[in-house]
């Protein structure tokens, strides 16, 4: 990346120099000694300081223009099912502590926006609280194997969400961190699973940007709950109108904006 930027600067300065050379700024040969270069630009001595400033300004403008025109780095998950949006993606910044794994047996809590759920909420924060997924009749290693199978089999576009795809960013024997991307604007959500106690899996799903999530995090959690409940020994709760009425009320919107999935808007 840095080598590419250096090359861009060199080419831009060369282009600016050529432009000024065409504007009657010739290079002249000078006598040299062992301590002098064979050629010296008249910009170094004979040219007025205003021309030197103009030269540097032109070079800087050229670099800036090419940097703006250069495509920004994007996540571009390979399993995306939607075409890239018209505008540059807006992934947002990952919150501090997200993606680092559990700390003192807990994942990160949620802030006040109705676009996050966690099994490690602040006290008296029922609207962001979500009970851990539960399993029995297996050890942590077997539970982790099932979790990885379900995560890797996730279908981008289910419930009309996550059409930008997903990527498993980090795993450990008791932790999974996944990033999901929206198809149109490239918003990124963070999803975490942590096995901290026998029989329980902490869950956290949150949006990085915006205030509402229009049901995206609920649909994602409910999808994983449904898939895990298909396996023997798993018992996973889901998000619904009954469990999180304020969240649903704020994120339900109009039906044309929020395609229904399951009964999370009505139960």
């Amino acid at each position: 990346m840095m080598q590419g930027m250096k090359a861009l600067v060199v080419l831009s300065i060369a282009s600016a120099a050529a432009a000024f050379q065409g504007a009657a700024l010739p290079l002249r040969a000078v006598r040299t000694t062992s301590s002098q270069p064979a050629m010296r630009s008249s910009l170094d001595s004979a040219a007025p300081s205003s021309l030197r400033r103009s030269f540097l300004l032109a070079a800087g403008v050229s670099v800036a223009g090419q940097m703006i025109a250069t495509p920004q780095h994007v996540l571009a998950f390979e399993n995306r099912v939607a075409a890239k949006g018209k505008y540059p993606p807006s992934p947002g910044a990952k919150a501090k502590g997200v993606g680092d794994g559990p700390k003192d047996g807990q994942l990160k809590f949620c802030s006040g926006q109705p676009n996050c759920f966690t099994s490690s909420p602040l006290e008296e924060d029922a609207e962001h609280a979500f009970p851990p997924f539960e399993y029995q009749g297996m050890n942590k290693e077997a539970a982790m194997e099932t979790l990885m199978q379900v995560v890797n089999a996730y279908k981008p576009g289910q419930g009309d969400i996550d059409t930008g795809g997903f990527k498993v960013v980090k795993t450990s024997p008791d932790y999974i961190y996944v990033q999901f991307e929206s198809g149109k604007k490239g918003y990124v959500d963070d999803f975490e699973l942590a096995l901290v106690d026998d029989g329980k899996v902490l869950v956290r799903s949150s949006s990085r940007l915006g205030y509402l999530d229009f049901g995206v995090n609920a649909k994602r959690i409910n999808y994983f709950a449904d898939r895990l409940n298909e396996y023997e020994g798993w018992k996973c709760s889901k998000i619904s109108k009954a469990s999180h009425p304020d969240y649903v009320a704020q994120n339900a919107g109009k039906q044309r904006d929020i395609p229904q999935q399951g009964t999370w808007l009505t139960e």
Side-chain angles (χ1 to χ4, degrees):
M1 181 68 178
M2 289 302 297
Q3 292 179 348
M5 290 298 296
K6 291 178 180 177
L8 178 60
V9 172
V10 171
L11 288 174
S12 300
I13 294 176
S15 299
F20 276 88
Q21 184 177 0
L25 288 175
L27 297 178
R28 59 183 176 86
V30 297
R31 291 182 177 273
T32 63
T33 65
S34 59
S35 61
Q36 288 180 312
M39 297 289 291
R40 188 195 310 175
S41 168
S42 59
L43 292 173
D44 292 335
S45 57
S49 60
S50 61
L51 290 178
R52 291 198 296 272
R53 287 194 298 269
S54 298
F55 171 80
L56 295 174
L57 177 59
V61 170
S62 178
V63 171
Q66 293 186 48
M67 289 176 65
I68 293 173
T70 301
Q72 299 182 15
H73 173 70
V74 296
L75 297 177
F77 297 143
E78 295 181 356
N79 51 20
R80 68 181 295 124
V81 296
K84 293 181 181 179
K86 179 179 179 181
Y87 303 102
S90 304
K94 179 171 65 68
K96 183 178 180 180
V98 172
D100 297 338
K103 182 178 181 180
D104 298 328
Q106 300 293 327
L107 293 176
K108 186 178 177 64
F109 57 86
C110 292
S111 56
Q113 297 93 326
N115 60 11
C116 174
F117 294 99
T118 180
S119 299
S120 304
L122 296 173
E123 292 184 9
E124 300 181 0
D125 185 14
E127 277 303 310
H128 295 98
F130 181 77
F133 291 157
E134 297 180 3
Y135 63 91
Q136 60 182 359
M138 67 190 84
N139 57 24
K140 281 188 176 182
E141 290 74 16
M144 185 66 175
E145 182 178 354
T146 300
L147 289 173
M148 286 301 306
Q149 289 176 358
V150 171
V151 168
N152 286 326
Y154 185 79
K155 297 180 179 180
Q158 64 85 19
D160 290 331
I161 68 170
D162 302 330
T163 55
F166 72 96
K167 180 180 180 180
V168 178
V169 178
K170 181 188 295 185
T171 62
S172 71
D174 58 2
Y175 177 70
I176 303 173
Y177 169 48
V178 191
Q179 293 178 352
F180 294 86
E181 184 177 346
S182 68
K184 186 176 181 180
K185 295 187 177 181
Y187 297 140
V188 171
D189 291 353
D190 300 296
F191 183 79
E192 300 173 278
L193 298 170
L195 291 82
V196 294
D197 296 316
D198 288 338
K200 293 185 178 182
V201 181
L202 300 182
V203 182
R204 188 180 190 278
S205 185
S206 64
S207 301
R208 296 183 181 182
L209 297 175
Y211 182 76
L212 302 176
D213 71 355
F214 299 105
V216 169
N217 288 287
K219 292 179 182 181
R220 185 181 301 121
I221 289 177
N222 286 355
Y223 176 91
F224 285 116
D226 284 336
R227 300 290 81 76
L228 288 170
N229 284 335
E230 295 173 356
Y231 286 78
E232 184 177 356
W234 285 86
K235 182 181 179 181
C236 305
S237 300
K238 296 171 61 177
I239 296 166
S240 66
K241 185 177 182 179
S243 66
H244 295 81
D246 289 344
Y247 170 84
V248 172
Q250 293 184 74
N251 282 286
K254 298 178 180 179
Q255 186 171 351
R256 64 179 177 83
D257 298 326
I258 316 296
Q260 298 265 351
Q261 179 195 345
T263 54
W264 80 274
L265 288 177
T266 56
E267 283 185 349

